[in-house]
Amino acid sequence: MSIRFEQVSKSFGTKHVLKQVSFKVERGEILFILGRSGMGKSVTLKHIIGLLKPDSGGVFIDGQNVSQLDDIQLAKVRQKCGMVFQHPALLDSLTVFENIAFGLRTAQYIQLIGHPLSEDDIRRRVCEKLADVNLKTEILDCLPSDLSYGMQKRVSLARTLAPEPEYLLFDEPTTGLDPITTNAINDLIHDLSRKLQVTSLVVSHDMACALKIADRVLVLDQGKILAHADRSTLKLSEEPLIQDFLAETLALIPPAELDVASIGATAP
Amino acid sequence: MIQFFQDLGATSLFFVRVVRTFFATQGNFQPILGQVAFVSLRSLSTVLFAGLFVGAILVLQLDLILAKYDAELFLGGLNTSTVIREVGPLIISFLLAGKIGAFTAAELGTMRVTEQIDAIECLGTNPIQYLVVPRLFGIMISSLILLFIGLLVSIGGAMAVAWFACGITIPEFTSSIPKFVSIGTFVAALFKALVYGTIVATVSCHRGFIATGGARGVGHAVTQASIFTNLYILFANFGLSHMLTLIDTLTEGLMGGSP
């Protein structure tokens, strides 16, 4: 039960975004991929879910090479994964309820659980996931355009959580959110990982979040892995980019917040 | 030039992909029906206005020429034939391209750049089936419905203008129609409308579906959809007109040769 990158390279025209990138994420682990904008973080995530195919190398989910699967096999692998996109990516023409219920009504999901969910079960699941992201059921009949950007991002997260995937892929999950919601989302990622053994891969440039909840941190720069370490080791790194990230983080939050020992206290 | 053929090839492959998805999946009937209603109702007012005025303008122009040769009695037949054979299918397809084609390219393009299409795919649904199949077949079917309505209004408008402005009564107008128009003319018009509708639908869906690069990318997709749709329609019109004339000649030859 793991996600594995093996010597993955990807170029767009003359731009080499990933250069022989290799890493592994174990079950129940939270891996943060940090890096500056445009360094291939989102591209890495899209390879896992088969939205992009590597030019060379392989991406493996539970031992299956994603880039070599046919459409039916790929759909089955995708069913194990949930992805939270950089944009909320909610379907404009559907209400909040319909958006969150979308993944519960697909033929793939019905095939996975062996039977279609009743409307009552769907409603219960939708309300439960909405509560997980600190939203009230009053917004169920709203269209995405009626919500603020932060609320849309949380609805998007609820939609991803609804089919209860084994792997969660987050592309900048807290960008554009207020600090309280950011903390709530981080705690949620932490919780899912610890209680349900959900594997999480988080793409971000938020070092503070990484130092709070990540098991391991991978720093991408110029298409290569600059560092791959656990939180405490990362803080000792002498790489200038990591030092810059740390300096920015330390300037923004008090040192106590960064204490690894306090992680348990941040989770609800 | 190479780029043009690359684009044409990519659009053709996209069409094949959508048709294959249509035959390989179930539950497409209801969404297609919804799109037919949406496209037809959204375009109806434009088609009614355009049809009415095209018929009226054409009858005035033809009357000017026919009057020189004392051949006004052929006005009805000539006008109806021109509208059904050429003007009707072309005008309807250009209106569809401007109104529905641009809308579809913009809608799908926005969904692409805001990652909605990726999200649909990740949630276990085929975006081609969910988004493109209903739109593509909806536009194709609507083009036939709109052509039929447009032709009726256009011929009606032409009759009215011929009566008021040219002094041609309705019986005089209709008497020459069978000389110029046959069932084959209607079939050819429907075939043309279907081909043009398919071009509008495929190009706009394809351009929207592959859009990249934010709001600018969506704008680019809409512009490209508009340009390529009109170009492909003109090329198709040239080819189809030749082909249908040839079929017409061959059919007449065969009919004439039979006892």
Side-chain angles (χ1 to χ4, degrees):
Chain A
M1 300 289 278
S2 65
I3 297 173
R4 189 156 47 88
F5 266 58
E6 267 186 19
Q7 301 287 313
V8 173
S9 296
K10 181 72 181 174
S11 301
F12 295 101
T14 53
K15 192 179 179 191
H16 303 292
V17 181
L18 296 179
K19 297 172 190 168
Q20 300 199 314
V21 170
S22 299
F23 65 88
K24 192 175 178 184
V25 197
E26 296 291 350
R27 181 178 168 81
E29 193 179 28
I30 303 173
L31 176 77
F32 260 67
I33 302 179
L34 290 179
R36 291 174 297 173
S37 299
M39 288 300 139
K41 304 190 298 293
S42 300
V43 169
T44 305
L45 277 196
K46 287 184 177 178
H47 273 90
I48 296 170
I49 210 149
L51 291 173
L52 291 174
K53 289 189 176 181
D55 297 337
S56 63
V59 179
F60 298 85
I61 294 186
D62 298 342
Q64 286 182 290
N65 190 340
V66 177
S67 57
Q68 288 177 357
L69 299 178
D70 62 29
D71 286 351
I72 296 168
Q73 291 170 320
L74 183 61
K76 280 182 185 166
V77 168
R78 276 181 181 155
Q79 207 59 55
K80 296 181 189 175
C81 305
M83 180 149 176
V84 180
F85 289 87
Q86 210 164 353
H87 294 282
L90 298 173
L91 301 179
D92 300 331
S93 55
L94 303 184
T95 62
V96 167
F97 175 78
E98 288 165 336
N99 262 292
I100 300 174
F102 192 93
L104 304 174
R105 291 182 168 140
T106 62
Q108 287 296 331
Y109 184 72
I110 292 168
Q111 202 180 353
L112 184 80
I113 61 168
H115 59 89
L117 285 179
S118 69
E119 277 307 304
D120 285 344
D121 286 341
I122 290 177
R123 182 160 281 275
R124 203 174 303 120
R125 180 85 66 90
V126 168
C127 294
E128 187 186 309
K129 298 303 168 191
L130 207 60
D132 282 346
V133 293
N134 290 337
L135 286 173
K136 291 180 179 160
T137 50
E138 280 86 49
I139 64 159
L140 279 176
D141 295 325
C142 294
L143 287 170
S145 54
D146 300 330
L147 307 177
S148 69
Y149 184 76
M151 288 169 96
Q152 287 182 29
K153 282 208 81 157
R154 281 186 277 166
V155 172
S156 169
L157 179 56
R159 179 180 65 178
T160 307
L161 296 176
E164 298 180 337
E166 294 168 35
Y167 299 104
L168 278 171
L169 314 173
F170 297 90
D171 193 355
E172 312 270 6
T174 52
T175 304
L177 297 181
D178 60 86
I180 294 166
T181 312
T182 299
N183 268 335
I185 300 289
N186 285 331
D187 290 343
L188 186 68
I189 296 170
H190 184 269
D191 237 26
L192 286 165
S193 172
R194 295 295 171 264
K195 288 180 187 166
L196 304 173
Q197 284 290 293
V198 173
T199 308
S200 300
L201 222 152
V202 187
V203 153
S204 175
H205 45 241
D206 192 342
M207 180 66 98
C209 290
L211 292 177
K212 280 176 79 178
I213 65 165
D215 292 315
R216 280 185 304 132
V217 180
L218 190 147
V219 183
L220 269 183
D221 193 44
Q222 308 290 342
K224 288 184 175 175
I225 296 176
L226 195 67
H228 190 175
D230 58 37
R231 286 172 305 195
S232 45
T233 320
L234 189 77
K235 284 196 273 188
L236 305 174
S237 171
E238 290 178 358
E239 281 288 346
L241 178 72
I242 297 170
Q243 285 301 318
D244 285 351
F245 264 113
L246 282 169
E248 288 295 324
T249 307
L250 292 169
L252 286 171
I253 56 172
E257 284 273 312
L258 294 173
D259 186 358
V260 176
S262 71
I263 300 304
T266 63
Chain B
M1 199 61 181
I2 292 169
Q3 182 66 43
F4 176 82
F5 283 109
Q6 278 178 347
D7 285 334
L8 183 62
T11 307
S12 308
L13 287 175
F14 181 76
F15 177 70
V16 172
R17 190 176 160 199
V18 178
V19 172
R20 279 176 62 179
T21 307
F22 171 74
F23 286 113
T25 53
Q26 293 176 335
N28 294 316
F29 183 71
Q30 204 67 27
I32 289 175
L33 212 62
Q35 278 296 318
V36 170
F38 172 77
V39 172
S40 303
L41 290 174
R42 203 180 155 90
S43 313
L44 192 62
S45 57
T46 320
V47 167
L48 288 176
F49 272 109
L52 191 70
F53 282 100
V54 163
I57 294 162
L58 206 61
V59 90
L60 288 174
Q61 292 295 324
L62 286 172
D63 184 56
L64 272 176
I65 300 162
L66 292 174
K68 288 183 184 170
Y69 302 98
D70 283 332
E72 287 117 312
L73 277 178
F74 295 119
L75 184 64
L78 208 55
N79 178 81
T80 310
S81 170
T82 313
V83 167
I84 295 175
R85 277 175 199 276
E86 282 298 330
V87 181
L90 262 186
I91 293 283
I92 298 296
S93 60
F94 284 146
L95 288 178
L96 263 181
K99 192 149 189 175
I100 300 299
F103 175 83
T104 306
E107 189 185 28
L108 291 180
T110 306
M111 292 184 85
R112 170 60 80 193
V113 301
T114 56
E115 298 179 315
Q116 290 180 50
I117 294 179
D118 289 342
I120 288 171
E121 208 166 342
C122 292
L123 287 165
T125 298
N126 181 347
I128 293 279
Q129 186 202 358
Y130 185 72
L131 297 171
V132 182
V133 166
R135 282 167 177 76
L136 192 133
F137 286 95
I139 294 173
M140 280 167 66
I141 297 167
S142 299
S143 67
L144 297 177
I145 297 169
L146 292 170
L147 174 79
F148 187 72
I149 296 168
L151 289 182
L152 280 182
V153 173
S154 181
I155 295 166
M159 266 188 215
V161 173
W163 190 17
F164 288 118
C166 313
I168 308 284
T169 63
I170 291 175
E172 282 171 339
F173 188 94
T174 52
S175 65
S176 63
I177 293 178
K179 290 189 180 76
F180 290 86
V181 179
S182 63
I183 294 292
T185 320
F186 276 108
V187 174
L190 287 175
F191 182 63
K192 277 186 173 181
L194 189 65
V195 172
Y196 302 159
T198 307
I199 291 171
V200 172
T202 310
V203 175
S204 51
C205 287
H206 180 229
R207 289 286 158 182
F209 201 77
I210 61 166
T212 49
R216 193 182 165 88
V218 177
H220 184 67
V222 176
T223 312
Q224 293 280 301
S226 177
I227 293 168
F228 279 97
T229 302
N230 291 335
L231 275 178
Y232 292 155
I233 287 173
L234 288 173
F235 290 143
N237 187 31
F238 179 74
L240 279 179
S241 294
H242 262 295
M243 191 183 85
L244 293 171
T245 311
L246 195 71
I247 291 172
D248 227 21
T249 316
L250 283 173
T251 315
E252 274 178 25
L254 285 173
M255 298 286 275
S258 62

PDB file of all heavy atoms in Angstrom, chain A residues 48-68:
ATOM      1  N   ILE A  48       0.458  11.061 -10.348  1.00  0.00           N
ATOM      2  CA  ILE A  48      -0.037   9.974  -9.490  1.00  0.00           C
ATOM      3  C   ILE A  48      -1.435   9.549  -9.917  1.00  0.00           C
ATOM      4  O   ILE A  48      -1.765   8.371  -9.953  1.00  0.00           O
ATOM      5  CB  ILE A  48      -0.047  10.429  -8.003  1.00  0.00           C
ATOM      6  CG1 ILE A  48       1.391  10.707  -7.551  1.00  0.00           C
ATOM      7  CG2 ILE A  48      -0.716   9.383  -7.120  1.00  0.00           C
ATOM      8  CD1 ILE A  48       1.502  11.382  -6.214  1.00  0.00           C
ATOM      9  N   ILE A  49      -2.248  10.526 -10.272  1.00  0.00           N
ATOM     10  CA  ILE A  49      -3.643  10.226 -10.596  1.00  0.00           C
ATOM     11  C   ILE A  49      -3.851   9.990 -12.101  1.00  0.00           C
ATOM     12  O   ILE A  49      -4.965   9.797 -12.576  1.00  0.00           O
ATOM     13  CB  ILE A  49      -4.544  11.347 -10.021  1.00  0.00           C
ATOM     14  CG1 ILE A  49      -5.914  10.809  -9.668  1.00  0.00           C
ATOM     15  CG2 ILE A  49      -4.606  12.561 -10.904  1.00  0.00           C
ATOM     16  CD1 ILE A  49      -6.545  11.505  -8.512  1.00  0.00           C
ATOM     17  N   GLY A  50      -2.756   9.983 -12.836  1.00  0.00           N
ATOM     18  CA  GLY A  50      -2.824   9.636 -14.264  1.00  0.00           C
ATOM     19  C   GLY A  50      -3.297  10.763 -15.161  1.00  0.00           C
ATOM     20  O   GLY A  50      -3.606  10.528 -16.322  1.00  0.00           O
ATOM     21  N   LEU A  51      -3.346  11.992 -14.641  1.00  0.00           N
ATOM     22  CA  LEU A  51      -3.733  13.118 -15.493  1.00  0.00           C
ATOM     23  C   LEU A  51      -2.569  13.513 -16.397  1.00  0.00           C
ATOM     24  O   LEU A  51      -2.763  14.124 -17.434  1.00  0.00           O
ATOM     25  CB  LEU A  51      -4.172  14.328 -14.650  1.00  0.00           C
ATOM     26  CG  LEU A  51      -5.487  14.170 -13.888  1.00  0.00           C
ATOM     27  CD1 LEU A  51      -5.717  15.360 -12.970  1.00  0.00           C
ATOM     28  CD2 LEU A  51      -6.664  13.988 -14.821  1.00  0.00           C
ATOM     29  N   LEU A  52      -1.363  13.171 -15.981  1.00  0.00           N
ATOM     30  CA  LEU A  52      -0.168  13.365 -16.815  1.00  0.00           C
ATOM     31  C   LEU A  52       0.607  12.050 -16.848  1.00  0.00           C
ATOM     32  O   LEU A  52       0.563  11.280 -15.886  1.00  0.00           O
ATOM     33  CB  LEU A  52       0.713  14.471 -16.236  1.00  0.00           C
ATOM     34  CG  LEU A  52       0.190  15.912 -16.296  1.00  0.00           C
ATOM     35  CD1 LEU A  52       1.130  16.845 -15.532  1.00  0.00           C
ATOM     36  CD2 LEU A  52       0.041  16.386 -17.739  1.00  0.00           C
ATOM     37  N   LYS A  53       1.287  11.820 -17.962  1.00  0.00           N
ATOM     38  CA  LYS A  53       2.106  10.606 -18.054  1.00  0.00           C
ATOM     39  C   LYS A  53       3.576  10.997 -18.128  1.00  0.00           C
ATOM     40  O   LYS A  53       3.927  11.965 -18.813  1.00  0.00           O
ATOM     41  CB  LYS A  53       1.717   9.804 -19.295  1.00  0.00           C
ATOM     42  CG  LYS A  53       0.359   9.157 -19.139  1.00  0.00           C
ATOM     43  CD  LYS A  53       0.038   8.186 -20.234  1.00  0.00           C
ATOM     44  CE  LYS A  53      -1.295   7.523 -19.923  1.00  0.00           C
ATOM     45  NZ  LYS A  53      -1.702   6.556 -20.894  1.00  0.00           N
ATOM     46  N   PRO A  54       4.442  10.256 -17.437  1.00  0.00           N
ATOM     47  CA  PRO A  54       5.868  10.628 -17.461  1.00  0.00           C
ATOM     48  C   PRO A  54       6.494  10.352 -18.823  1.00  0.00           C
ATOM     49  O   PRO A  54       6.067   9.437 -19.531  1.00  0.00           O
ATOM     50  CB  PRO A  54       6.477   9.723 -16.385  1.00  0.00           C
ATOM     51  CG  PRO A  54       5.547   8.583 -16.236  1.00  0.00           C
ATOM     52  CD  PRO A  54       4.179   9.068 -16.603  1.00  0.00           C
ATOM     53  N   ASP A  55       7.506  11.159 -19.169  1.00  0.00           N
ATOM     54  CA  ASP A  55       8.249  10.888 -20.404  1.00  0.00           C
ATOM     55  C   ASP A  55       9.100   9.639 -20.224  1.00  0.00           C
ATOM     56  O   ASP A  55       9.286   8.857 -21.147  1.00  0.00           O
ATOM     57  CB  ASP A  55       9.161  12.082 -20.746  1.00  0.00           C
ATOM     58  CG  ASP A  55       8.354  13.340 -21.025  1.00  0.00           C
ATOM     59  OD1 ASP A  55       7.163  13.199 -21.386  1.00  0.00           O
ATOM     60  OD2 ASP A  55       8.890  14.457 -20.863  1.00  0.00           O
ATOM     61  N   SER A  56       9.631   9.483 -19.015  1.00  0.00           N
ATOM     62  CA  SER A  56      10.360   8.251 -18.694  1.00  0.00           C
ATOM     63  C   SER A  56      10.188   7.974 -17.202  1.00  0.00           C
ATOM     64  O   SER A  56       9.807   8.855 -16.438  1.00  0.00           O
ATOM     65  CB  SER A  56      11.831   8.404 -19.050  1.00  0.00           C
ATOM     66  OG  SER A  56      12.411   9.416 -18.272  1.00  0.00           O
ATOM     67  N   GLY A  57      10.464   6.736 -16.807  1.00  0.00           N
ATOM     68  CA  GLY A  57      10.267   6.355 -15.413  1.00  0.00           C
ATOM     69  C   GLY A  57       8.851   5.869 -15.180  1.00  0.00           C
ATOM     70  O   GLY A  57       8.056   5.763 -16.130  1.00  0.00           O
ATOM     71  N   GLY A  58       8.538   5.575 -13.941  1.00  0.00           N
ATOM     72  CA  GLY A  58       7.206   5.036 -13.646  1.00  0.00           C
ATOM     73  C   GLY A  58       6.657   5.550 -12.327  1.00  0.00           C
ATOM     74  O   GLY A  58       7.407   5.874 -11.408  1.00  0.00           O
ATOM     75  N   VAL A  59       5.321   5.652 -12.265  1.00  0.00           N
ATOM     76  CA  VAL A  59       4.642   6.020 -11.021  1.00  0.00           C
ATOM     77  C   VAL A  59       3.800   4.811 -10.621  1.00  0.00           C
ATOM     78  O   VAL A  59       2.969   4.338 -11.406  1.00  0.00           O
ATOM     79  CB  VAL A  59       3.737   7.258 -11.227  1.00  0.00           C
ATOM     80  CG1 VAL A  59       3.026   7.618  -9.935  1.00  0.00           C
ATOM     81  CG2 VAL A  59       4.547   8.436 -11.745  1.00  0.00           C
ATOM     82  N   PHE A  60       4.036   4.300  -9.430  1.00  0.00           N
ATOM     83  CA  PHE A  60       3.366   3.072  -8.999  1.00  0.00           C
ATOM     84  C   PHE A  60       2.445   3.339  -7.821  1.00  0.00           C
ATOM     85  O   PHE A  60       2.830   3.995  -6.860  1.00  0.00           O
ATOM     86  CB  PHE A  60       4.405   2.030  -8.599  1.00  0.00           C
ATOM     87  CG  PHE A  60       5.316   1.631  -9.740  1.00  0.00           C
ATOM     88  CD1 PHE A  60       6.451   2.381 -10.043  1.00  0.00           C
ATOM     89  CD2 PHE A  60       5.030   0.524 -10.522  1.00  0.00           C
ATOM     90  CE1 PHE A  60       7.277   2.031 -11.092  1.00  0.00           C
ATOM     91  CE2 PHE A  60       5.853   0.168 -11.574  1.00  0.00           C
ATOM     92  CZ  PHE A  60       6.976   0.911 -11.863  1.00  0.00           C
ATOM     93  N   ILE A  61       1.204   2.838  -7.939  1.00  0.00           N
ATOM     94  CA  ILE A  61       0.289   2.883  -6.799  1.00  0.00           C
ATOM     95  C   ILE A  61      -0.040   1.431  -6.463  1.00  0.00           C
ATOM     96  O   ILE A  61      -0.526   0.682  -7.327  1.00  0.00           O
ATOM     97  CB  ILE A  61      -1.005   3.661  -7.118  1.00  0.00           C
ATOM     98  CG1 ILE A  61      -0.676   5.129  -7.365  1.00  0.00           C
ATOM     99  CG2 ILE A  61      -2.012   3.522  -5.989  1.00  0.00           C
ATOM    100  CD1 ILE A  61      -1.876   6.018  -7.551  1.00  0.00           C
ATOM    101  N   ASP A  62       0.260   1.040  -5.262  1.00  0.00           N
ATOM    102  CA  ASP A  62       0.085  -0.361  -4.831  1.00  0.00           C
ATOM    103  C   ASP A  62       0.699  -1.329  -5.851  1.00  0.00           C
ATOM    104  O   ASP A  62       0.113  -2.355  -6.202  1.00  0.00           O
ATOM    105  CB  ASP A  62      -1.407  -0.684  -4.640  1.00  0.00           C
ATOM    106  CG  ASP A  62      -2.034   0.170  -3.566  1.00  0.00           C
ATOM    107  OD1 ASP A  62      -1.277   0.741  -2.757  1.00  0.00           O
ATOM    108  OD2 ASP A  62      -3.264   0.284  -3.545  1.00  0.00           O
ATOM    109  N   GLY A  63       1.843  -0.975  -6.358  1.00  0.00           N
ATOM    110  CA  GLY A  63       2.574  -1.848  -7.271  1.00  0.00           C
ATOM    111  C   GLY A  63       2.156  -1.744  -8.726  1.00  0.00           C
ATOM    112  O   GLY A  63       2.797  -2.319  -9.601  1.00  0.00           O
ATOM    113  N   GLN A  64       1.071  -1.008  -9.025  1.00  0.00           N
ATOM    114  CA  GLN A  64       0.612  -0.882 -10.424  1.00  0.00           C
ATOM    115  C   GLN A  64       1.201   0.379 -11.060  1.00  0.00           C
ATOM    116  O   GLN A  64       1.080   1.472 -10.483  1.00  0.00           O
ATOM    117  CB  GLN A  64      -0.913  -0.794 -10.482  1.00  0.00           C
ATOM    118  CG  GLN A  64      -1.612  -2.121 -10.208  1.00  0.00           C
ATOM    119  CD  GLN A  64      -3.112  -1.956 -10.339  1.00  0.00           C
ATOM    120  OE1 GLN A  64      -3.739  -1.302  -9.503  1.00  0.00           O
ATOM    121  NE2 GLN A  64      -3.688  -2.542 -11.369  1.00  0.00           N
ATOM    122  N   ASN A  65       1.786   0.210 -12.228  1.00  0.00           N
ATOM    123  CA  ASN A  65       2.359   1.362 -12.933  1.00  0.00           C
ATOM    124  C   ASN A  65       1.216   2.163 -13.577  1.00  0.00           C
ATOM    125  O   ASN A  65       0.597   1.716 -14.546  1.00  0.00           O
ATOM    126  CB  ASN A  65       3.342   0.881 -14.002  1.00  0.00           C
ATOM    127  CG  ASN A  65       4.140   2.034 -14.595  1.00  0.00           C
ATOM    128  OD1 ASN A  65       3.737   3.187 -14.499  1.00  0.00           O
ATOM    129  ND2 ASN A  65       5.269   1.721 -15.189  1.00  0.00           N
ATOM    130  N   VAL A  66       0.944   3.332 -13.037  1.00  0.00           N
ATOM    131  CA  VAL A  66      -0.224   4.133 -13.444  1.00  0.00           C
ATOM    132  C   VAL A  66      -0.186   4.474 -14.936  1.00  0.00           C
ATOM    133  O   VAL A  66      -1.216   4.441 -15.618  1.00  0.00           O
ATOM    134  CB  VAL A  66      -0.290   5.440 -12.601  1.00  0.00           C
ATOM    135  CG1 VAL A  66      -1.445   6.315 -13.044  1.00  0.00           C
ATOM    136  CG2 VAL A  66      -0.432   5.111 -11.139  1.00  0.00           C
ATOM    137  N   SER A  67       1.021   4.758 -15.444  1.00  0.00           N
ATOM    138  CA  SER A  67       1.099   5.211 -16.839  1.00  0.00           C
ATOM    139  C   SER A  67       0.877   4.076 -17.841  1.00  0.00           C
ATOM    140  O   SER A  67       0.709   4.321 -19.029  1.00  0.00           O
ATOM    141  CB  SER A  67       2.436   5.888 -17.090  1.00  0.00           C
ATOM    142  OG  SER A  67       3.481   5.008 -16.774  1.00  0.00           O
ATOM    143  N   GLN A  68       0.874   2.835 -17.356  1.00  0.00           N
ATOM    144  CA  GLN A  68       0.685   1.721 -18.289  1.00  0.00           C
ATOM    145  C   GLN A  68      -0.685   1.068 -18.167  1.00  0.00           C
ATOM    146  O   GLN A  68      -0.930   0.005 -18.756  1.00  0.00           O
ATOM    147  CB  GLN A  68       1.780   0.669 -18.055  1.00  0.00           C
ATOM    148  CG  GLN A  68       3.140   1.161 -18.557  1.00  0.00           C
ATOM    149  CD  GLN A  68       4.251   0.181 -18.283  1.00  0.00           C
ATOM    150  OE1 GLN A  68       4.051  -0.850 -17.666  1.00  0.00           O
ATOM    151  NE2 GLN A  68       5.441   0.516 -18.747  1.00  0.00           N
TER     152      GLN A  68
END
